[in-house]
Structure formats: structure tokens, C-alpha cells
Amino acid sequence: MKNKAIKKYVLWGVFVVVMLVGFLWPLPNYIEGPGDASNLSKIVKIQNHPDKRKGMFMLTSVSIAQARPFTYLYAKLNPHYSVESDDSVTAGQNMIEYDKVQHFYMESSINEAIYTAYKHANQPVKRTYNGIYILNIERQSKFYHALRVGDVVVKVDGHHFKSSTGFVNYVKHQRVGQKLTVTYRRNGHSHQVTKRLIQIAGHRPGIGITLTDDVKVKPKVPIKVDPGQVGGPSGGLMFSLQIYSQLTNRNLRHGQKVAGTGTIDADGNVGEIGGIDKKVIAAKRNGAKVFLAPYLKPTKLILKYEPGHQTNYQLAKQTAKKYAPNMKVIPVATFDQAVSALSKE
């Protein structure tokens, strides 16, 4: 009896250890799957412009979590989930840097959405360009130990430009190995550093950073947008539609749940994003009847090097056909196209 009891306890101990390892042991991968589809009327508040229309615009997201042995196995067996490498998700950044970048992406997408929506609604709005926001720094960059993710570059060699395009064009016309002085802002304080340019893609000179514009907008009609913990730039299109519909009181939803995704820029262009198949599933689970998907016609060069290339729209359409046949997927390349398409629904 004693030996049986010991054996029983040993087996239970092994079982507990296996379960703990299976659920808690971190792997060098991430699991991506369908996230949420949030009601944007709960996120966007505009003074004296409530959302009283039936239906809703939905902000779709992708869930991301570090892989564990059991979740890794689940993701391999479930078609709606995928296993991604650490580099493909965080680009080699630590989680503090990654979260900071995702927060900025969201803040930037909200600003561009506000500007686009107010402009199309003929409401006064001011757009201010502050500089370049650093999203990533290559390890081989001479500026690697001087600049940080989150710094805002305001000048190079004393020159201030009105967009990141001006910065990029200035730098690429310099020489590899040439010294460049960068003036940047960190935590509200201005700093300056001088280092040499390195050779980047295309054998041209560069600082060795990934960047985006740091833009702030100030509309005349006050607005508050609180996305919670959701990060990234892909909500731009849906934010702009929600804001525009509240400002104009146009009935774009016709009582339906309308989901979608895509970035938005100051000119109202819609950009492609990642994980759209998972966002279609999230939309379907939350009852969406319409899904707006970015459509960017692939160039001949892209098709040459990626013969099986799929646009966001094609992948969304394919996913919906298989898993959400009653959902209508609409391709959009601009904000105006999205408004026009919804007006006809």
C-alpha cells in the first residue's frame, strides 16, 4: 500500500510539472490569433456630436501572446492562429520598446484619422508636423548607442523639414562615412549628436533607423479618442469613418455592424496591414455583416518576386468565403471610396 501511495504521488507530481511547463514555460515565439472587434462609438467622443445611429463601426485587432508549449501546439492545429518568430513580431526590440512603438503607431493613426475625417466633414482642423519619430535603430548604426526608440529627430545638420521625405532625401544625397549632426528631442529636452553615416539598402548612405512622422492635430470641435490597450496603426480607416459619421450625422452603417481595417494618411489613402485574416474572424465572431479591406494593386516587381502575392482584400475575401460566407468584403483604397461604398449599402 505504501509503495502504491508513493507511486500515486509521484505520478501526480509529474502531471503537475508537465502542466506547469506546458502552460507557463516561455518559448522564443509568439502566437497570433483573432482579437476583439470593439464598438468605436464607445471609444470616440465628440463634443455635441453623439452617435445615435443604429449599428456600429468596429475596430478589429489581432491578439499577440508569447508562445507556451500548449499554446504553440494549439496554434499549429487551429487554422485561425499562427506561430510567429520573435523578430517578425518585435523586430528585435525588447517589450518596453515594442509597446512604446505600438502606442505611438496608435496615437499617429488616431491623429491622421481625426485630420482626414474633419477635413472631409469641412470642419476646421490644424495639423502640425513635429519631426521624425524613431521606431527602430539598426545595431550597425553609428548612432545606435546615442539615439533611442521614441526619440524625435527635429533637425539634421541644422535643417528642419516639413515631412520625413525631406529628411530622407537630404540624407541619401550625402556620402557613406560622412559625419551628420542630428538634433533630437527626448522627454521634452533637446539633444545633439554627431556620427558617421553607414551604407544601407541600395548602397546608399543612411543613419540606420526606421522612422515615421510625428504629427499632432488640433480640431476646433473637441474630440477624445481612448483606444485602451490596443496598439498599432491599422485602426486609422475605421477611426476616420466613425469620426466622420458623427461630425456629419450621415447614415453610413444602415443599422449594420461594419468592421474593417487599414491605415490612413493625411491625403485619405488607405494602407495595407498584417493579420487581416485573423481580423475577419474577429469581426465574424462579433456579428459584423460588412468588412472593409484595404486594396493596394501589386506592382509588376512585387509579382515578379512573389508570384503568389495576395492583397489584403484578396486574403480577407478568401477567409470570409470559407469561414464567414454571409459577410460582405469591400475593397477600399481611399477614405472617399469607403464612404461611397457604405452609402450604397
Side-chain angles (χ1 to χ4, degrees):
M1 288 292 293
K2 188 175 180 180
N3 288 337
K4 286 185 177 180
I6 292 173
K7 186 177 180 180
K8 181 179 178 181
Y9 286 127
V10 169
L11 289 174
W12 268 108
V14 170
F15 175 76
V16 170
V17 169
V18 170
M19 295 302 289
L20 288 173
V21 169
F23 282 113
L24 301 177
W25 189 267
L27 300 176
N29 303 97
Y30 284 86
I31 305 299
E32 289 190 355
D36 199 5
S38 307
N39 182 355
L40 276 166
S41 68
K42 305 295 185 183
I43 296 172
V44 176
K45 304 296 179 184
I46 306 176
Q47 190 176 93
N48 300 323
H49 289 81
D51 184 348
K52 294 184 178 180
R53 296 286 185 181
K54 292 183 179 180
M56 66 177 73
F57 284 119
M58 306 172 82
L59 176 68
T60 55
S61 63
V62 173
S63 68
I64 301 176
Q66 187 164 20
R68 317 289 177 177
F70 286 167
T71 58
Y72 182 97
L73 180 61
Y74 179 79
K76 286 292 187 180
L77 298 174
N78 192 311
H80 303 325
Y81 290 79
S82 62
V83 178
E84 308 293 339
S85 68
D86 187 2
D87 281 346
S88 69
V89 173
T90 66
Q93 297 173 327
N94 59 48
M95 288 311 295
I96 293 176
E97 290 179 332
Y98 175 75
D99 288 341
K100 185 184 290 186
V101 168
Q102 294 306 304
H103 172 75
F104 180 83
Y105 269 139
M106 174 57 76
E107 188 178 279
S108 179
S109 72
I110 290 172
N111 280 325
E112 297 291 23
I114 291 172
Y115 182 76
T116 297
Y118 274 67
K119 186 174 65 173
H120 282 79
N122 296 316
Q123 291 282 351
V125 59
K126 183 180 179 181
R127 186 174 187 270
T128 305
Y129 176 75
N130 296 319
I132 289 173
Y133 185 91
I134 297 177
L135 301 176
N136 191 38
I137 310 170
E138 297 178 16
R139 289 187 176 274
Q140 63 266 34
S141 171
K142 302 297 182 183
F143 291 82
Y144 183 76
H145 294 291
L147 299 175
R148 297 179 190 169
V149 170
D151 289 344
V152 177
V153 176
V154 294
K155 293 180 182 178
V156 289
D157 287 344
H159 301 290
H160 177 76
F161 299 92
K162 294 183 179 180
S163 71
S164 57
T165 303
F167 280 98
V168 172
N169 286 337
Y170 177 83
V171 173
K172 75 179 184 181
H173 284 95
Q174 309 309 305
R175 300 187 310 277
V176 173
Q178 180 178 328
K179 287 186 176 181
L180 187 84
T181 299
V182 171
T183 303
Y184 62 97
R185 191 172 63 253
R186 178 185 298 164
N187 299 325
H189 299 284
S190 184
H191 305 271
Q192 198 172 80
V193 60
T194 300
K195 298 289 181 181
R196 296 185 184 279
L197 296 173
I198 62 170
Q199 180 175 295
I200 58 175
H203 305 288
R204 62 183 181 85
I207 298 173
I209 60 174
T210 303
L211 53 86
T212 189
D213 289 338
D214 178 19
V215 175
K216 294 292 183 289
V217 296
K218 188 176 181 180
K220 187 173 182 179
V221 178
I223 179 173
K224 289 185 178 180
V225 181
D226 183 8
Q229 299 302 310
V230 180
S234 63
L237 171 63
M238 300 310 294
F239 277 122
S240 63
L241 288 169
Q242 176 67 42
I243 297 166
Y244 175 78
S245 68
Q246 285 185 229
L247 288 172
T248 62
N249 197 30
R250 285 188 64 177
N251 187 10
L252 297 178
R253 299 188 298 252
H254 305 289
Q256 301 182 98
K257 289 184 176 181
V258 180
T261 188
T263 63
I264 199 82
D265 66 16
D267 295 319
N269 297 309
V270 177
E272 293 196 324
I273 52 83
I276 196 167
D277 53 333
K278 299 171 179 65
K279 293 185 177 184
V280 168
I281 300 301
K284 186 249 184 183
R285 288 176 178 175
N286 286 274
K289 297 300 181 184
V290 177
F291 192 95
L292 301 174
Y295 176 70
L296 185 64
K297 187 176 180 180
T299 64
K300 290 182 179 179
L301 188 62
I302 288 177
L303 294 176
K304 177 182 177 181
Y305 290 103
E306 191 182 347
H309 175 82
Q310 280 188 308
T311 64
N312 270 188
Y313 168 68
Q314 288 172 323
L315 181 54
K317 184 78 172 177
Q318 175 183 302
T319 304
K321 183 178 180 181
K322 188 172 184 179
Y323 299 107
N326 295 323
M327 183 188 294
K328 184 175 182 179
V329 180
I330 301 174
V332 292
T334 66
F335 175 80
D336 284 334
Q337 280 186 10
V339 171
S340 177
L342 290 175
S343 298
K344 298 173 184 176
E345 280 299 301

